[in-house]
Amino acid sequence: MAVKEELTGIVSPENVSENPETLGAYSRDLSFAKPIQPKAAVRPHNVDEVQALVAWANKTATPLVPVSSGPPRFHGDTIPGVPGAVIVDMSGMKNIMKIDRRNRVAIIEAGVTYPELQPELTRAGMRLTMPLIPRANKSIVASLLEREPTLIPRQQWTILDPLRCTEIVWGEGNVLRTGDAGNWPSMEFAFERKQSAVGSGGPAQTDFYRFVSAAQGSMGIVTWISVKCEVLPEPHKLYFVAADRLENLIDFTYKVLRFRFGDELLILNNTKLACIIGENPDQIKALMGKIPSWVALVGIAGRSILPQERVEFQEKDIADMAQSSGLQMTATIPGGQNGKVLDLILNVSREPYWKLTYRGGYQDILFITTLNRTPEFVKTMNSVANASGYPVNDIGVYLQPLHQGASCHCEFVLPYDRDNLEEAARMQQLFTRASQAMVEQGAFFSRPYGIWAKMAYERDTQTTRVLKKLKGIFDPNNIMNPGKLCF
Amino acid sequence: MVLKREIYKEFENIVGANNISDDEALLDSYRYPLMHTAIHLGPYYRVYTPRGEAVLLPGSAEEVQAIVKLCNKHKVRVKASSTFWSAWGYPMEDNTIQLDMRRMNRILEIDEKNMFAVVEPHVIGATLQAEAMKHGLNTHIHGPGASCSCLASATALNGLGPDTAYLGHHSENMIGAEWVMPDGEMVRVGSVGSGLGWFYSEGPGPSLKGLIRGMVGSMGSMGVFTKCAIKLHPWPGPAPFPTDGRPPAYKAVLPDNLMSYTLGFPDWEAWADSCYLIWEAGIGYVAHRQFNMFGRDLKGAMVRILSDPTKTLGDIVELLKDPEVQKMTEDMKRDYQIVLAGMTPRDIEWQEKVLDRILEKTGGWKVEGMLEPNLHDWSLLYMLRLGHKNLNLVYGGGYDGCFGIGGTPDFATTGEYPRVEQATDFKKEWEKKGNIVAAGGDGMMGGIGGMGGGGMTLWENFTHFDPHDKASTEGTYEFFNATSEYGKQKGWGPGMEKMNDYARWTDGRTTPKEIRNKILSAGGQPEALRYQRKFYETFNPNDLGDSYYRTLD
Amino acid sequence: MALEDYLPDMERCSQCSYCKWIPFDQVKSWRFADGCPSIAYNNFLSYSARGRFAVALSLLNKQSTYTDRVVDIIYKCTTCGSCDVSDKICRYNLEPLEMIQELKIRAVEDDQVLPAHTAVIEHLKKENNMMMAPAAERGDWAKGLDVKIIPVEKAEVLFHAGCNYSNDKDLQATARTALTILKNAGVDVGIMGNEELCCGGRAYDTGYKEEFTRLAEKNIKAWKAAGVKTIVTPCADGYHTIMRLYPRLGVNFEVYHTVQYFDRLIKEGKIKLSKSVPMRVTYHDPCHLGRRGEPYIPWEGKEKKVKGQVIVYEPRKPRYNGAWGVYEPPRDILKSIPGIELVEMERIKEYAWCCGAGGGTREAYPDFSNWTATERIEEAKATGAEALVTACPWCERNFIDAVNSTGADIKVMDITDLIKQAI
């Protein structure tokens, strides 16, 4: 039987595609990953279909590649690692299954995007903290599973927050609900008893949801998740603390983290902030010259009880902290005004995706370290860029304190012209060199996409050993996105 | 069974002669009396956990790894414990060696900037807190209190406590671990596995932290944790505590940015509303229904006894007649304790106002009797250090928690006849039989938090008895059986009083397989336990663990 | 009480491990958080109060028998009482220290003894001192002092020097000083000279109850015969024995440690401290003067239960948990000496770390005893003090030996010697 026919027995015909153009779009992304054409793409609409797909894949030894977000994609994780794969496009699972204001929980399917969820949450008086300006078609599930950093470190009790519960179809075909959701026969049963899907632990003595985090779809397919929301802030203000030297801003940022004050808290260099504010390359270029070298963005929000008072006292206290670091907290910076920037960072990207605006393409290098170590990495990045003839001023830097300050996401964005083959080739070389330099300097590639996987797993052979055994349990036939990570 | 001499000798060669013993009486000090607070099974009168074959005191992770490898070679079970607070840490069967992790007791690092500590197994809450405070930081102290191992609660057990809403649950706080797996291989989980330090718990890629623990850990069944990193949190107070007073009524006179209150509420819905509002506003440093563990009717008298060095339990009857105590007890009927910690003067001022506003909205109040300076300073120290937590044993020496109504605040409190009152009335009837302390039915203690930032509450109905008294112990067992039945009838489940029946049985040994399977199959998702069976077979190939690890075929 | 009387305690011990540490509210650092020297040195659980409850229960239940290890567990305890204080943070119905003492007593009754103890006790039986010295030399320490000898002469106050001050030549000067200060302050004081006997307290703490009783009865008889009502002693062990153990035999003498007496005389202006002693010092609370030095309150009664299973006692039972030990008098003395700067160690008063000399450990386990003292020296040094001041000759001797063996740069002094310098 042809693949299409077989898949049509699982999902409705309009949700199976063998169209070469459609498949071509899944075969490549904007990374340097080698394109590989899948043999089909399917769009399941419920967990039964997902489970049936996985069963079929096991029976037929067909690799499955889960994809939830729309294009453009950037890290090669959704590109088949081997020929003959079937793309499982989860973007059709759009249900917002529950919004529980009392417990500040939302339950959403894998295809739900931020622009789809946020208005619903707003109506309920809540919002969900997001990564920095995701694209409009970014799946929330994919973002959280891939541990994309979110903007409010003080609300991050675990690295995976605000992700709480999940429903997983494992590579070997079983379905498991994790966290509090695993305690009940069904979520309806829980809601009747005023329970919710708020806790992430378990079930039993295993945090199963951690096995699908940063797994690039290699362990199973997540059909829905619950997320912990925040009360809709009002008032919500943004301030800037600018510095010529990153070290000074780090000192200030640690002070804010130490008191667990503020809300959004991140550091951007001038290029990165210019790319956020500027709407076209010229504007960006102009802004790069105006914006101070380093800027900490500090959101201060009021919620629930005495919100105005919270904002007011924290404005004063955080301003004092800035001053004690020899800096100033301001409502504007050259080229930027707080209301506008707040609006930008709290929303999804304009089209095209903001990181592409400056040069049409970019390559990023992202890893985990601690905030105090970030200047070393910046120095190394600049040095490798210089050596490769890449303009250092074009490098965007984004530092996002995580987990209430215990660690820090460090991201370098290197814009380039993808259409210029020579430039692209140079970028690929620079990317490889810089990645290697970062690893040598102690970058922790927690989400090891592409070439980073080998670098990361060579450093930790014991973790690799255990992960392979786990993979053998959850996906014994290696049908889930083979060729990724250490699998 | 006694270890063969040549095997004993091999173990001795690893740890040295001073750090191993198979003396019978010494081994008997490593047996847990199951007529006691066995958390949560029994109580079984004069039943003890089995005697181990030997006790070893390893001094390093390398020694632990060598021991586990040797255990694999000779097929000897291994059970590690650090602070031996409860039955979980003790052997289940013969042919088990007990590891006492006491010698591995160092705080290896406190990273002040990035706010975490790296500890060995025998570091306890009190010592880590004292050291963290020198850096303006604090550690979460989990429910059993300051006496217990931080690592054990973070890796192998639960890690919930009164301060969780602000200082995190230890499952959240654990940001890396060094683990001698049951097959003898050592894995370092998180960034430390790549030799990069202890700052990050996940990856590369999927997180092995998920294999270490879930809601709880593997309770000593899956190898030995030799180090872990624990996230620390802000501490806006002095170091050390300026402790004052005579024992046991120690108190701390702390600056005004640290305040302790007992809040009372007119009904349970108001109580639940206040929890939600506290979490939404993000105030509070510790929040816990702590003193209710003495019982709804007795807690007013008990806080008076405990905060006065001249008083003893013998004063309880007289105190219960005191109108002031009676008023305070009534004021505290639906209560919890909260500590506010202002990071700055403006912060504490705001938090105080928010608390007042929450009380205004819910009709709640600050219990006046607990505002008396001596009681305030006593409860402040109590809640911050949790150094008196074994007061749950104060009455007769035995206690266990039953019901264990966990989840959202609404779960236990809504309706005309809230679950919390149903559980109270049920226990109150049993108190009349005289085998458990007549404390007013409601001995429900639990965190106003349950996870970082709040989100759940727990109602563990403390039941006090005398483990030396056969009638009391057996009467308590009977009560717990009835409690479980009641819970099942009500659809609440069997309750935490039976939480470990699946593992250890009435003789102190492994629960018979058919009973174990029946219990475990009745849980939420048996599939999870089938995966755990696979983990066990994969990583514990010689079956050196025990039945605390939940598996189904 | 017999060991069997502590069966309820053994079964009610909840395994909380508080006995190993100082009270948690008082923990100021990782380094100085240990409370019980025995578990801190020996590590196995059996060497804590919790473990000894279990070992005793195992023996009583005949689950095990005496072995070298069991004997070691029983005797390698300084009976400092730290466990007792910490246990009673949460419990009103456990007596770990009493149980440990009964366990030692039972071991002696069962002839499970240590040669090192046997030698000392055999000597004690013959020569009435713990110092392996001839009885005939007992009073030599006071030679040359113009002092009344009781009962030849009458005196209002009996100065009981104790074995150590009587026989340890390094320490005798302190006893002489103390006596002289008392005399100079106008106290009508006398000594018993060669007729003074060991108080028996150390024999009791080592498990030799019979020998304690023999000495106590002899002392009581002699003191009664001499019309003694008030006793002052510079020895913390002696103070504890006369204050807390003798009343069990039906007598009550008014007993003071010298620090209490000196403190009173200073406050009354009868001792004038005018000379400056510029020194930074720290003070070690001897266990027998501190947590074990609480006033004796007679009690005879029984356990009963209220509210179902709340264990109380009828009549109200006194609670010994270190709350009312002798802590302020020595500190007040030090504060009243011009030039002295008192800096406290982390573990003080009822939760002070033991010197390591008690319970027969100095005699039988010199390494353990010396380690325990060394730990205290380390703690004292951490304060930056020039001198570790104490008020017990047993502590002082053990500290001096520890300083000598480690070469630690700190003086060990009795508080009496500081008073002398200030007069």
Side-chain angles (χ1 to χ4, degrees):
Chain A
M1 211 184 328
V3 173
K4 180 153 186 175
E5 281 174 47
E6 291 182 34
L7 292 173
T8 304
I10 296 170
V11 297
S12 55
E14 68 272 21
N15 289 311
V16 180
S17 175
E18 286 182 314
N19 178 318
E21 201 177 320
T22 307
L23 298 181
Y26 289 115
S27 74
R28 59 185 176 272
D29 66 8
L30 303 191
S31 72
F32 294 113
K34 183 180 141 199
I36 296 183
Q37 187 91 345
K39 67 179 177 187
V42 290
R43 283 162 54 91
H45 282 77
N46 59 51
V47 66
D48 294 338
E49 289 181 358
V50 174
Q51 205 173 3
L53 278 170
V54 171
W56 169 82
N58 272 291
K59 200 170 72 182
T60 58
T62 307
L64 297 181
V65 180
V67 180
S68 304
S69 307
R73 292 179 280 265
F74 298 96
H75 293 117
D77 47 326
T78 57
I79 300 207
V82 292
V86 169
I87 300 290
V88 183
D89 188 331
M90 301 293 288
S91 61
M93 290 185 68
K94 289 282 187 195
N95 277 337
I96 295 171
M97 297 158 66
K98 178 81 176 176
I99 290 181
D100 174 359
R101 168 64 184 83
R102 181 82 159 163
N103 293 296
R104 279 188 285 141
V105 162
I107 303 180
I108 51 170
E109 287 188 335
V112 175
T113 61
Y114 288 102
E116 287 160 350
L117 179 63
Q118 295 290 27
E120 299 298 322
L121 291 177
T122 303
R123 270 193 280 281
M126 297 192 290
R127 78 181 292 276
L128 179 64
T129 182
M130 296 200 302
L132 181 63
I133 319 177
R135 59 190 193 273
N137 57 5
K138 180 77 192 178
S139 151
I140 298 172
V141 169
S143 174
L144 291 175
L145 282 179
E146 281 303 300
R147 303 200 291 255
E148 283 195 337
T150 51
L151 302 183
I152 310 182
R154 77 175 183 91
Q155 286 184 357
Q156 221 183 6
W157 298 92
T158 74
I159 286 297
L160 275 67
D161 254 342
L163 174 64
R164 294 295 171 92
C165 302
T166 61
E167 181 180 77
I168 305 165
V169 179
W170 297 106
E172 44 108 43
N174 282 315
V175 180
L176 196 76
R177 289 185 307 280
T178 70
D180 282 355
N183 296 334
W184 319 109
S186 68
M187 282 318 297
E188 290 68 31
F189 179 94
F191 294 135
E192 280 167 21
R193 285 157 182 75
K194 306 265 183 191
Q195 295 283 25
S196 197
V198 65
S200 62
Q205 290 149 300
T206 309
D207 269 355
F208 286 91
Y209 83 131
R210 292 183 196 275
F211 301 148
V212 288
S213 81
Q216 300 179 25
S218 63
M219 290 285 190
I221 299 175
V222 173
T223 50
W224 59 255
I225 62 169
S226 74
V227 288
K228 185 76 191 283
C229 305
E230 49 171 319
V231 175
L232 191 65
E234 181 56 45
H236 194 170
K237 293 191 178 175
L238 184 76
Y239 288 95
F240 305 103
V241 179
D244 292 333
R245 290 182 68 247
L246 175 58
E247 286 80 355
N248 293 352
L249 267 195
I250 288 172
D251 179 61
F252 159 74
T253 306
Y254 271 126
K255 285 176 185 164
V256 180
L257 288 166
R258 173 56 73 92
F259 283 178
R260 213 181 282 168
F261 276 7
D263 289 84
E264 291 79 12
L265 184 61
L266 55 151
I267 296 174
L268 304 171
N269 75 344
N270 53 346
T271 303
K272 189 85 175 177
L273 189 49
C275 287
I276 290 172
I277 302 171
E279 290 176 7
N280 58 55
D282 290 341
Q283 278 184 11
I284 291 171
K285 194 81 189 165
L287 284 164
M288 280 160 63
K290 283 190 202 165
I291 297 173
S293 303
W294 295 96
V295 184
L297 274 56
V298 188
I300 307 175
R303 296 180 185 85
S304 190
I305 313 262
L306 302 182
Q308 184 67 37
E309 287 84 344
R310 177 180 191 263
V311 172
E312 283 170 7
F313 96 76
Q314 293 217 350
E315 282 171 341
K316 289 175 189 153
D317 279 344
I318 296 173
D320 289 349
M321 289 175 202
Q323 201 162 32
S324 72
S325 295
L327 305 169
Q328 276 214 319
M329 188 170 92
T330 56
T332 58
I333 46 164
Q337 198 270 331
N338 58 355
K340 183 184 167 193
V341 176
L342 180 66
D343 192 46
L344 285 167
I345 68 164
L346 292 185
N347 282 293
V348 294
S349 172
R350 62 182 178 262
E351 288 297 331
Y353 185 50
W354 65 281
K355 290 182 187 174
L356 299 170
T357 310
Y358 184 43
R359 299 290 316 277
Y362 74 91
Q363 179 59 53
D364 56 11
I365 299 177
L366 46 96
F367 55 86
I368 306 294
T369 181
T370 52
L371 185 57
N372 52 323
R373 288 202 60 198
T374 54
E376 303 165 30
F377 291 107
V378 172
K379 195 172 161 196
T380 301
M381 184 70 242
N382 290 349
S383 155
V384 177
N386 267 329
S388 300
Y390 182 87
V392 167
N393 289 342
D394 280 2
I395 300 173
V397 184
Y398 166 37
L399 305 176
Q400 179 60 64
L402 301 172
H403 201 186
Q404 300 173 335
S407 53
C408 183
H409 167 87
C410 181
E411 178 179 317
F412 297 105
V413 175
L414 294 82
Y416 72 102
D417 181 358
R418 290 189 80 248
D419 297 332
N420 180 331
L421 293 181
E422 199 183 322
E423 198 176 329
R426 278 205 306 273
M427 176 53 67
Q428 188 165 7
Q429 272 189 348
L430 167 59
F431 168 60
T432 306
R433 273 191 210 130
S435 297
Q436 193 60 46
M438 295 300 153
V439 162
E440 280 162 19
Q441 194 155 354
F444 180 58
F445 283 99
S446 149
R447 301 152 57 192
Y449 301 114
I451 61 169
W452 301 334
K454 188 163 180 284
M455 298 176 189
Y457 289 114
E458 273 179 358
R459 285 192 81 120
D460 190 353
T461 52
Q462 278 298 333
T463 291
T464 309
R465 176 187 82 95
V466 178
L467 280 176
K468 284 183 172 174
K469 289 191 172 190
L470 283 176
K471 169 84 169 170
I473 290 169
F474 290 113
D475 182 24
N477 297 321
N478 195 23
I479 57 147
M480 295 308 307
N481 205 2
K484 299 297 189 301
L485 300 168
C486 57
F487 308 134
Chain B
M1 183 180 160
V2 176
L3 278 185
K4 286 181 188 159
R5 277 299 91 184
E6 58 269 28
I7 299 178
Y8 184 92
K9 192 72 196 161
E10 283 185 72
F11 281 120
E12 186 181 287
N13 287 343
I14 296 170
V15 293
N18 286 339
N19 297 311
I20 182 169
S21 175
D22 61 356
D23 182 272
E24 288 186 330
L26 184 144
L27 289 172
D28 280 351
S29 68
Y30 287 88
R31 298 178 70 185
Y32 194 86
L34 294 175
M35 68 275 199
H36 232 286
T37 165
I39 327 282
H40 298 273
L41 75 161
Y44 306 128
Y45 188 63
R46 290 190 173 162
V47 175
Y48 290 81
T49 56
R51 189 185 267 169
E53 308 302 337
V55 179
L56 279 76
L57 293 155
S60 67
E62 290 69 28
E63 285 185 12
V64 172
Q65 188 175 21
I67 291 165
V68 175
K69 283 188 171 168
L70 203 53
C71 286
N72 274 280
K73 179 180 159 193
H74 295 299
K75 311 275 192 292
V76 179
R77 290 175 193 274
V78 56
K79 186 82 177 182
S81 186
S82 300
T83 38
F84 292 93
W85 189 67
S86 191
W88 290 303
Y90 295 80
M92 298 288 276
E93 286 300 329
D94 298 335
N95 193 34
T96 304
I97 59 159
Q98 174 91 65
L99 299 193
D100 179 342
M101 305 302 285
R102 185 186 157 79
R103 288 175 64 222
M104 294 176 67
N105 68 346
R106 293 171 302 167
I107 298 171
L108 297 164
E109 179 185 353
I110 291 181
D111 185 326
E112 184 174 318
K113 274 184 186 300
N114 301 300
M115 294 189 276
F116 63 82
V118 183
V119 298
E120 289 188 325
H122 199 256
V123 173
I124 61 166
T127 52
L128 181 57
Q129 185 182 62
E131 292 300 328
M133 283 178 168
K134 293 177 185 171
H135 299 269
L137 296 167
N138 198 359
T139 182
H140 160 60
I141 294 183
H142 58 292
S147 60
C148 291
S149 158
C150 305
L151 173 140
S153 84
T155 56
L157 209 64
N158 189 326
L160 173 71
D163 57 32
T164 287
Y166 190 87
L167 288 98
H169 189 288
H170 261 347
S171 65
E172 297 165 328
N173 289 327
M174 193 261 283
I175 55 170
E178 181 180 81
W179 181 13
V180 177
M181 297 187 79
D183 60 3
E185 295 292 327
M186 187 188 284
V187 62
R188 293 182 178 90
V189 173
S191 53
V192 68
S194 300
L196 300 173
W198 292 86
F199 48 87
Y200 193 84
S201 54
E202 323 289 313
S207 169
L208 294 189
K209 188 176 166 183
L211 189 61
I212 291 178
R213 61 165 297 156
M215 288 282 283
V216 293
S218 52
M219 303 178 185
S221 298
M222 289 287 270
V224 185
F225 298 97
T226 47
K227 294 182 189 77
C228 81
I230 303 234
K231 197 182 163 319
L232 302 175
H233 301 269
W235 165 242
F241 280 133
T243 310
D244 193 11
R246 292 179 192 270
Y250 295 128
K251 54 191 177 176
V253 182
L254 291 168
D256 290 347
N257 64 323
L258 292 153
M259 297 299 291
S260 172
Y261 300 111
T262 293
L263 308 180
F265 297 91
D267 53 52
W268 286 116
E269 285 187 16
W271 187 98
D273 287 346
S274 75
C275 296
Y276 284 107
L277 289 170
I278 277 169
W279 300 335
E280 287 189 359
I283 64 162
Y285 195 76
V286 183
H288 197 252
R289 196 166 187 237
Q290 172 73 208
F291 302 140
N292 197 61
M293 72 179 179
F294 303 120
R296 181 185 283 184
D297 290 355
L298 306 185
K299 60 185 162 182
M302 280 306 295
V303 297
R304 285 292 188 89
I305 290 169
L306 297 168
S307 60
D308 181 346
T310 68
K311 290 200 162 38
T312 77
L313 276 187
D315 295 308
I316 196 165
V317 173
E318 279 307 305
L319 277 166
L320 288 170
K321 295 175 193 162
D322 180 335
E324 272 186 38
V325 172
Q326 288 172 350
K327 182 182 180 309
M328 187 163 85
T329 306
E330 183 57 30
D331 285 353
M332 294 168 80
K333 187 173 175 183
R334 299 174 206 86
D335 70 337
Y336 58 84
Q337 283 66 48
I338 186 165
V339 172
L340 302 184
M343 298 294 149
T344 63
R346 294 181 186 114
D347 185 22
I348 190 67
E349 190 185 340
W350 176 76
Q351 288 196 46
E352 291 277 13
K353 280 186 198 162
V354 170
L355 181 60
D356 289 343
R357 186 64 64 91
I358 289 170
L359 293 175
E360 206 177 291
K361 275 176 174 265
T362 57
W365 55 84
K366 291 173 179 163
V367 173
E368 201 183 334
M370 293 295 287
L371 293 171
E372 185 272 321
N374 184 54
L375 266 178
H376 172 270
D377 294 345
W378 171 82
S379 67
L380 184 59
L381 178 59
Y382 184 122
M383 298 308 293
L384 285 169
R385 175 136 296 178
L386 217 55
H388 300 232
K389 185 58 206 345
N390 282 279
L391 280 168
N392 44 13
L393 304 145
V394 69
Y395 292 136
Y399 102 99
D400 208 343
C402 66
F403 284 111
I405 307 169
T408 68
D410 287 344
F411 178 63
T413 56
T414 48
E416 281 185 21
Y417 190 24
R419 288 178 175 87
V420 57
E421 286 302 326
Q422 293 177 51
T424 295
D425 291 345
F426 181 80
K427 179 164 174 268
K428 208 167 181 174
E429 280 303 307
W430 276 83
E431 288 175 354
K432 289 177 187 166
K433 293 178 194 278
N435 292 320
I436 57 178
V437 171
D442 169 16
M444 274 173 274
M445 187 217 68
I448 313 301
M451 62 194 75
M456 68 165 278
T457 50
L458 180 70
W459 304 78
E460 182 178 358
N461 204 350
F462 276 27
T463 303
H464 311 271
F465 63 99
D466 177 0
H468 171 64
D469 182 324
K470 191 166 189 275
S472 177
T473 310
E474 292 181 349
T476 304
Y477 181 58
E478 209 183 320
F479 164 64
F480 286 160
N481 283 338
T483 305
S484 290
E485 282 308 310
Y486 184 78
K488 280 186 215 162
Q489 277 169 27
K490 291 275 174 186
W492 308 350
M496 68 199 306
E497 68 282 346
K498 296 281 170 192
M499 212 166 82
N500 291 306
D501 274 12
Y502 77 91
R504 218 188 263 278
W505 202 235
T506 54
D507 58 355
R509 291 169 182 268
T510 308
T511 303
K513 191 165 182 183
E514 60 277 18
I515 299 172
R516 173 179 165 81
N517 283 353
K518 194 176 163 198
I519 297 169
L520 292 178
S521 300
Q525 290 187 102
E527 201 53 48
L529 307 187
R530 294 197 182 96
Y531 282 120
Q532 291 200 168
R533 157 66 61 192
K534 289 179 185 173
F535 303 154
Y536 191 85
E537 285 167 353
T538 304
F539 298 108
N540 207 338
N542 289 312
D543 187 19
L544 306 187
D546 59 44
S547 51
Y548 278 116
Y549 197 63
R550 292 177 229 162
T551 61
L552 275 174
D553 296 332
Chain C
M1 298 278 276
L3 187 60
E4 286 76 4
D5 295 326
Y6 294 91
L7 181 66
D9 295 44
M10 295 168 200
E11 294 194 328
R12 286 170 181 157
C13 164
S14 63
Q15 325 280 311
C16 71
S17 279
Y18 280 40
C19 56
K20 298 169 184 171
W21 307 90
I22 63 170
F24 296 115
D25 289 343
Q26 304 292 357
V27 170
K28 298 171 186 71
S29 73
W30 172 86
R31 176 66 181 87
F32 300 118
D34 285 324
C36 167
S38 186
I39 180 82
Y41 184 77
N42 298 290
N43 286 314
F44 289 110
L45 277 183
S46 328
Y47 290 85
S48 64
R50 162 204 182 135
R52 289 185 171 98
F53 274 135
V55 168
L57 188 61
S58 177
L59 292 171
L60 285 182
N61 288 343
K62 305 203 183 315
Q63 289 165 201
S64 57
T65 53
Y66 288 113
T67 59
D68 288 350
R69 172 64 83 172
V70 170
V71 171
D72 193 69
I73 290 166
I74 292 172
Y75 290 113
K76 209 183 262 181
C77 163
T78 61
T79 58
C80 72
S82 172
C83 57
D84 213 59
V85 170
S86 292
D87 276 6
K88 288 171 180 170
I89 294 296
C90 291
R91 297 296 293 275
Y92 291 75
N93 43 31
L94 284 187
E95 297 293 347
L97 177 59
E98 287 179 12
M99 193 290 295
I100 288 165
Q101 285 168 325
E102 288 300 331
L103 183 58
K104 289 187 178 185
I105 289 165
R106 176 59 55 87
V108 171
E109 286 168 358
D110 291 343
D111 203 23
Q112 298 293 324
V113 293
L114 298 173
H117 288 161
T118 310
V120 174
I121 297 297
E122 285 307 312
H123 181 86
L124 180 66
K125 284 178 183 168
K126 287 185 205 134
E127 304 291 338
N128 295 315
N129 71 73
M130 292 290 293
M131 305 295 292
M132 308 299 278
E137 293 176 8
R138 181 82 185 196
D140 286 2
W141 67 273
K143 268 187 185 166
L145 290 177
D146 178 17
V147 60
K148 290 178 181 176
I149 304 294
I150 297 173
V152 179
E153 295 168 276
K154 292 273 178 202
E156 277 180 26
V157 170
L158 168 65
F159 183 87
H160 179 85
C163 299
N164 218 325
Y165 279 132
S166 297
N167 296 112
D168 186 329
K169 295 205 169 4
D170 292 342
L171 305 180
Q172 283 173 347
T174 301
R176 291 168 67 86
T177 302
L179 185 58
T180 305
I181 293 169
L182 287 172
K183 271 187 66 191
N184 291 347
V187 179
D188 179 15
V189 62
I191 61 170
M192 294 195 77
N194 282 350
E195 298 304 311
E196 183 184 296
L197 309 179
C198 172
C199 66
R202 296 184 71 78
Y204 186 85
D205 272 356
T206 311
Y208 290 84
K209 187 178 180 182
E210 202 177 307
E211 187 53 17
F212 157 74
T213 308
R214 179 187 76 82
L215 288 162
E217 285 174 347
K218 277 189 125 179
N219 275 326
I220 291 164
K221 192 174 169 191
W223 295 345
K224 275 187 173 174
V228 170
K229 289 195 173 49
T230 304
I231 299 157
V232 175
T233 178
C235 174
D237 269 41
Y239 169 78
H240 166 264
T241 306
I242 300 164
M243 158 78 85
R244 288 281 292 277
L245 300 183
Y246 282 16
R248 296 184 192 181
L249 302 174
V251 292
N252 272 304
F253 295 99
E254 196 180 345
V255 59
Y256 298 97
H257 188 274
T258 42
V259 291
Q260 292 170 298
Y261 219 82
F262 289 153
D263 182 47
R264 195 170 85 190
L265 293 170
I266 291 165
K267 284 170 181 162
E268 288 171 358
K270 291 176 182 165
I271 297 174
K272 293 194 174 8
L273 304 175
S274 49
K275 280 192 201 161
S276 179
V277 185
M279 194 183 279
R280 187 179 167 93
V281 303
T282 191
Y283 175 71
H284 166 78
D285 290 279
C287 307
H288 289 86
L289 185 61
R291 59 181 157 247
R292 295 187 64 188
E294 293 179 289
Y296 178 79
I297 302 165
W299 181 78
E300 202 172 330
K302 59 177 191 219
E303 176 185 308
K304 71 164 190 174
K305 288 181 176 175
V306 298
K307 304 302 272 179
Q309 294 293 333
V310 178
I311 297 164
V312 299
Y313 300 92
E314 195 171 59
R316 195 175 189 275
K317 191 180 174 186
R319 175 166 158 82
Y320 299 110
N321 67 343
W324 313 103
V326 180
Y327 305 122
E328 295 313 320
R331 287 175 171 78
D332 285 351
I333 292 171
L334 290 170
K335 285 171 195 165
S336 64
I337 296 174
I340 288 276
E341 183 195 353
L342 173 63
V343 285
E344 294 283 11
M345 288 181 277
E346 286 192 17
R347 295 173 290 191
I348 56 169
K349 299 183 181 177
E350 71 274 9
Y351 55 97
W353 178 256
C354 173
C355 74
T361 53
R362 180 174 160 83
E363 293 77 11
Y365 301 107
D367 289 350
F368 166 48
S369 178
N370 186 266
W371 174 84
T372 306
T374 304
E375 282 290 291
R376 192 58 161 169
I377 299 291
E378 287 298 314
E379 190 176 352
K381 279 171 60 188
T383 67
E386 296 162 59
L388 172 61
V389 179
T390 187
C392 172
W394 297 98
C395 301
E396 203 175 331
R397 178 74 264 168
N398 230 36
F399 289 145
I400 290 168
D401 291 349
V403 166
N404 289 341
S405 66
T406 59
D409 183 19
I410 193 165
K411 290 179 201 155
V412 177
M413 302 180 80
D414 192 285
I415 199 164
T416 307
D417 301 316
L418 282 172
I419 295 172
K420 182 187 172 190
Q421 288 183 38
I423 292 175

